[in-house]
Amino acid sequence: MSALEIQNVNWQMSVNRRAHHTDKFSSQDFIVRRGYPWEMVLVCNRRLESGEDLNFIASTGPQPSESARTKAVFSVSERSTSGWSAALKANNDNSLVIALASPANAPIGWYTLNLELSSRGRVASLRLGTFVLLFNPWLEADDVFMSNHAERQEYVEEDSGIIYVGSTNRIGMVGWNFGQYEEDILSISLSILDRSLNFRRDPVTDVARRNDPKYVGRVLSAMINGNDDNGVISGNWSGNYSGGVDPRTWNGSVEILKQWKKSGFRPVQFGQCWVFAGTLNTVLRCLGVPSRVITNFNSAHDTDRNLSVDVYYDAMGNPLEKGSDSVWNFHVWNEGWFVRPDLGPSYNGWQVLDATPQERSQGVFQCGPASVNGIREGDVDRNFDMVFIFAEVNADRITWIYNTRNGNKKQNSLDTHSIGKYISTKAVGSNSRLDVTDKYKHPEGSREEREVHQKALSKLKPNATFDPTSARDLAGEEGEPSISGRFKVTGVLAVGKEVSMALILKNLTGDRKTVSVNMTAWTIVYNGTLVHEVWKDSATISLDPEEERQQPVKIAYSQYDRYLKADNMIRVTAICKVADEAEVVVERDVILDNPTLTLEVLDRARVQKPVNVQMLFSNPLDEPVRDCVLMVEGSGLLRGNLKIDVPALRPKEKSRIRFEIRPTRSGTKQLVADFSCNKFPAIKAMLTIDVVE
């Protein structure tokens, strides 16, 4: 009888990929999930006889070893200690059906599968091929297991989404194309791990630790920003984006990841927080970690771990960039879903991961995973980076008046509840906003919230003694102010129009008061970076007992036009002073609306059939707009992205542009568009399209 030989290997690609929920990936590779079996057919020159054995060797990484669990040797005839298994399902004539499976805690990544045939005293070796192993949220034994079908569909399989932006009094949203199934995105996601500092320092340990979603998530949080490690995106909050792309113009992660690879893995310019978060979300979902994008409004950036942020103004009402603390109008991060055996079962579930480079952690710009449950309970001493994230949603905001002449500063007020508002994410299965603030903290002002805050402080400063009537409750050195102030919007907030507001002052006492008011308006970037002063005014206002008066604020388009950034944000501040009393600081950030960009589908959308889409835009200005570009993308709707140069528009002129897309997959898909020109750097639109087979 001749020696047994393998003549053909059938990986049964489509059946296995469907069973492993990897059939949507456009890659032609064999992609499976850990812990799930897959069947392959080996066609031989004859039957497998007793006494003959098949030994499989699965290995990953540059120096695979059984001790590091990056190599497994397992045979059809006996159970392996590695947790990998091979079972002979059928032995008909000359074809063998073998079921293989990895353990539920195997390292993820690229594997090579080899076979050793023991037949008649000879051992023959054969390379069967390569495959990709991913996390498995469908399997209870996997650390990333998610039991709810609808949530799994949203947080693992959905390839488009919504990211919330804006401010507490004007929550906006942008569509984002995650595109984890698009061509090359899986291989780029895996190459991110191979370019990390950890892999470069110690590849053997790094690959072995890829069995742990905590570890993979932390490495990715470092690698999505370009600091330290030539990661994917370079951050820029200056308002000047020459040499790169204005962060507001991106429509999704796919173009960013492809550009990073194409440039020889140099950081893509430029990103801001939602760009880092959208891209990290793509990579997490791609690798099989359930994930979602979270927006925190009035997000504190506390640089000195004291759970408070200091904000400065001068006497003229100018906001000052003093100190390193700041409050961002919004900040966007991610949550990944997995267990925390290092902390205990009460810390399982959603974990914060933040790829925006804000503070170093263990010497590198990385952040998380931090258990959301742990943040809610003030466990700031637990891994990883709990203090920073706890402060983002809970810090006290202290306002100081800074004397620019002598350098003295005076505490003006302390606000314990403006930070960490409307924490938001896209709801499961719909485009509505889900508020998750209650997952991060107890109700503002409740006994539990106070106790958690004290617990957190006591962990940070173990020797401090706490007085329940401490500074947190007794702000301001000079007693209660006798007046109050607030800004009210009195007109339409739109780019190209005058910004019309009023400062409303009220006398809270039975005595007559004279108030001197200094007001300024600055254009800003959403994280508070000051761009340019665009308006200022001073007034002296007399208030009769309990009288309320309005002081108008009018800022013309010609005053702010040249200095408005794509954020469309203007910060208006008033410092109101009554003699011998503390100043009252009134601040309001307003967001101006862009003109509407409309998308509409002109045909019924079918797979592999061309579909016409129309864009409508009207120039609202009394001047022409030029350098107009429309960028469109949408996973499952078109390959790559479309870039269309749009002719310049005369004042008040309407533009109508038609373009063609060719859907590649059926189902509900999302088309996202960005229209940019010299006067409007980033106008966004999104459109849901139902594609039929």
Side-chain angles (χ1 to χ4, degrees):
M1 194 190 294
S2 60
L4 186 69
E5 286 172 15
I6 306 285
Q7 293 170 335
N8 185 18
V9 181
N10 180 356
W11 289 80
Q12 305 204 89
M13 186 80 76
S14 60
V15 172
N16 284 318
R17 280 187 38 166
R18 254 199 318 280
H20 284 247
H21 309 281
T22 60
D23 47 320
K24 288 184 186 159
F25 285 100
S26 63
S27 144
Q28 297 308 298
D29 297 302
F30 189 69
I31 308 161
V32 286
R33 296 191 186 273
R34 55 190 200 168
Y36 265 10
W38 74 88
E39 289 190 359
M40 54 200 299
V41 180
L42 304 179
V43 180
C44 310
N45 57 340
R46 60 172 174 77
R47 277 178 68 88
L48 179 72
E49 301 294 342
S50 66
E52 295 181 316
D53 200 5
L54 304 176
N55 256 332
F56 292 90
I57 300 141
S59 55
T60 184
Q63 292 161 278
S65 75
E66 290 180 83
S67 60
R69 303 189 60 242
T70 50
K71 175 183 174 185
V73 181
F74 51 106
S75 81
V76 171
S77 60
E78 56 189 64
R79 271 206 78 70
S80 155
T81 55
S82 68
W84 289 75
S85 64
L88 186 59
K89 288 288 184 197
N91 179 10
N92 318 325
D93 299 338
N94 60 347
S95 67
L96 304 173
V97 181
I98 315 264
L100 295 108
S102 78
N105 61 354
I108 60 144
W110 281 106
Y111 278 78
T112 303
L113 188 63
N114 289 312
L115 175 63
E116 285 182 350
L117 279 176
S118 311
S119 167
R120 322 186 74 76
R122 284 182 51 218
V123 176
S125 288
L126 180 69
R127 185 174 184 272
L128 296 178
T130 59
F131 64 95
V132 176
L133 190 66
L134 299 179
F135 291 110
N136 191 352
W138 283 263
L139 180 70
E140 194 167 349
D142 197 305
D143 284 350
V144 301
F145 173 62
M146 185 169 247
S147 58
N148 182 300
H149 169 76
E151 289 181 2
R152 232 178 14 235
Q153 219 165 359
E154 179 74 47
Y155 298 136
V156 183
E157 298 191 273
E158 186 54 64
D159 59 1
S160 65
I162 282 170
I163 302 177
Y164 293 95
V165 296
S167 66
T168 50
N169 43 33
R170 199 159 187 84
I171 294 178
M173 61 186 211
V174 294
W176 193 265
N177 181 30
F178 297 124
Q180 66 267 36
Y181 305 120
E182 298 303 289
E183 204 174 339
D184 221 17
I185 296 303
L186 175 58
S187 71
I188 295 171
S189 297
L190 290 167
S191 68
I192 292 174
L193 298 176
D194 288 345
R195 305 196 76 80
S196 73
L197 292 176
N198 292 16
F199 181 83
R200 282 185 252 166
R201 285 186 199 123
D202 183 353
V204 175
T205 306
D206 173 76
V207 171
R209 294 188 67 186
R210 292 182 192 176
N211 66 328
D212 181 358
K214 292 195 298 301
Y215 178 78
V216 170
R218 187 158 173 80
V219 167
L220 291 174
S221 82
M223 278 301 295
I224 296 297
N225 67 67
N227 305 50
D228 314 307
D229 47 27
N230 272 332
V232 180
I233 302 159
S234 177
N236 180 343
W237 288 265
S238 69
N240 172 11
Y241 309 115
S242 57
V245 168
D246 186 322
R248 293 256 172 185
T249 56
W250 297 112
N251 285 322
S253 320
V254 177
E255 295 307 310
I256 294 170
L257 290 164
K258 285 183 172 173
Q259 194 176 316
W260 180 62
K261 179 184 175 180
K262 195 171 152 192
S263 72
F265 303 104
R266 283 203 292 280
V268 175
Q269 297 174 315
F270 292 105
Q272 289 169 353
C273 65
W274 69 94
V275 183
F276 293 104
T279 306
L280 177 53
N281 213 59
T282 295
V283 177
L284 288 167
R285 286 186 186 179
C286 186
L287 299 180
V289 180
S291 61
R292 61 188 187 179
V293 177
I294 300 284
T295 304
N296 177 38
F297 290 95
N298 288 354
S299 192
H301 181 167
D302 172 21
T303 54
D304 47 10
R305 297 169 61 99
N306 64 353
L307 302 192
S308 65
V309 286
D310 300 308
V311 183
Y312 296 88
Y313 299 89
D314 69 13
M316 295 312 295
N318 288 298
L320 302 176
E321 288 179 325
K322 246 189 85 57
S324 48
D325 288 353
S326 56
V327 178
W328 296 26
N329 267 289
F330 66 91
H331 179 44
V332 185
W333 60 68
N334 302 78
E335 288 174 358
W337 175 273
F338 43 87
V339 297
R340 292 300 299 268
D342 56 323
L343 300 181
S346 65
Y347 298 90
N348 290 350
W350 290 116
Q351 313 289 327
V352 173
L353 293 162
D354 190 346
T356 298
Q358 286 181 303
E359 293 296 315
R360 290 183 188 275
S361 171
Q362 297 173 321
V364 176
F365 283 101
Q366 58 187 347
C367 183
S371 158
V372 174
N373 294 343
I375 294 163
R376 189 169 192 260
E377 299 312 320
D379 294 321
V380 293
D381 51 346
R382 299 303 177 94
N383 284 346
F384 293 87
D385 308 305
M386 291 285 245
V387 181
F388 183 72
I389 299 158
F390 183 86
E392 285 184 303
V393 299
N394 286 302
D396 293 339
R397 178 189 167 118
I398 304 176
T399 303
W400 301 84
I401 304 287
Y402 181 76
N403 185 326
T404 44
R405 285 197 310 281
N406 60 19
N408 290 345
K409 63 176 188 177
K410 184 172 70 176
Q411 183 172 326
N412 172 264
S413 64
L414 185 144
D415 174 352
T416 63
H417 51 256
S418 69
I419 299 287
K421 294 291 209 201
Y422 306 114
I423 305 175
S424 303
T425 190
K426 175 191 172 300
V428 171
S430 83
N431 280 355
S432 48
R433 185 181 73 88
L434 175 69
D435 193 297
V436 294
T437 312
D438 63 328
K439 302 283 184 277
Y440 279 83
K441 51 190 187 176
H442 295 279
E444 206 68 67
S446 67
R447 188 176 54 85
E448 294 89 347
E449 185 249 356
R450 280 284 179 255
E451 285 171 358
V452 163
H453 204 276
Q454 296 296 18
K455 172 181 169 183
L457 273 173
S458 65
K459 288 186 174 197
L460 293 177
K461 303 177 185 161
N463 304 326
T465 53
F466 287 105
D467 168 12
T469 58
S470 64
R472 213 177 167 211
D473 304 302
L474 305 175
E477 295 160 17
E478 293 155 320
E480 285 301 304
S482 62
I483 56 160
S484 70
R486 64 186 174 92
F487 280 115
K488 181 175 130 187
V489 176
T490 54
V492 178
L493 294 174
V495 179
K497 298 258 194 300
E498 175 184 74
V499 175
S500 177
M501 297 169 71
L503 172 67
I504 299 173
L505 289 175
K506 184 170 169 58
N507 183 350
L508 303 172
T509 70
D511 305 316
R512 206 187 147 124
K513 296 287 175 187
T514 302
V515 191
S516 61
V517 179
N518 291 320
M519 293 188 282
T520 64
W522 288 70
T523 53
I524 61 168
V525 178
Y526 77 98
N527 70 336
T529 301
L530 301 173
V531 177
H532 207 280
E533 184 184 76
V534 293
W535 176 89
K536 63 179 176 205
D537 193 17
S538 296
T540 302
I541 297 163
S542 296
L543 291 173
D544 288 334
E546 299 187 353
E547 184 189 4
E548 186 172 275
R549 282 189 64 177
Q550 297 198 7
Q551 178 69 14
V553 174
K554 305 275 185 203
I555 309 167
Y557 178 51
S558 59
Q559 287 173 290
Y560 68 77
D561 162 34
R562 298 207 319 280
Y563 305 114
L564 194 69
K565 294 295 155 189
D567 310 71
N568 288 0
M569 282 186 185
I570 297 178
R571 174 165 292 172
V572 188
T573 309
I575 305 283
C576 312
K577 176 88 173 128
V578 175
D580 303 325
E581 291 184 21
E583 295 88 341
V584 171
V585 180
V586 187
E587 183 184 84
R588 174 89 184 253
D589 289 349
V590 293
I591 300 178
L592 310 187
D593 285 342
N594 278 323
T596 308
L597 180 70
T598 307
L599 297 174
E600 43 193 41
V601 187
L602 303 178
D603 321 296
R604 184 83 198 269
R606 298 180 184 281
V607 174
Q608 296 303 353
K609 295 274 186 292
V611 180
N612 283 295
V613 181
Q614 180 165 274
M615 172 215 88
L616 302 170
F617 175 74
S618 286
N619 174 12
L621 304 178
D622 294 320
E623 54 186 297
V625 300
R626 53 174 206 281
D627 310 328
C628 307
V629 177
L630 178 69
M631 302 276 282
V632 183
E633 66 182 89
S635 289
L637 291 172
L638 66 162
R639 290 204 184 283
N641 69 340
L642 267 181
K643 181 179 175 186
I644 300 162
D645 290 318
V646 178
L649 290 167
R650 294 188 300 278
K652 308 287 190 210
E653 187 185 355
K654 284 188 168 61
S655 173
R656 172 176 293 169
I657 299 287
R658 285 192 179 182
F659 56 90
E660 199 177 83
I661 60 173
R662 189 182 285 262
T664 53
R665 293 200 308 274
S666 62
T668 302
K669 304 289 166 217
Q670 180 172 287
L671 192 69
V672 277
D674 173 85
F675 179 81
S676 303
C677 61
N678 66 325
K679 291 294 181 184
F680 301 102
I683 303 178
K684 297 293 188 190
M686 53 186 259
L687 178 66
T688 300
I689 300 178
D690 287 315
V691 181
V692 295
E693 279 297 345

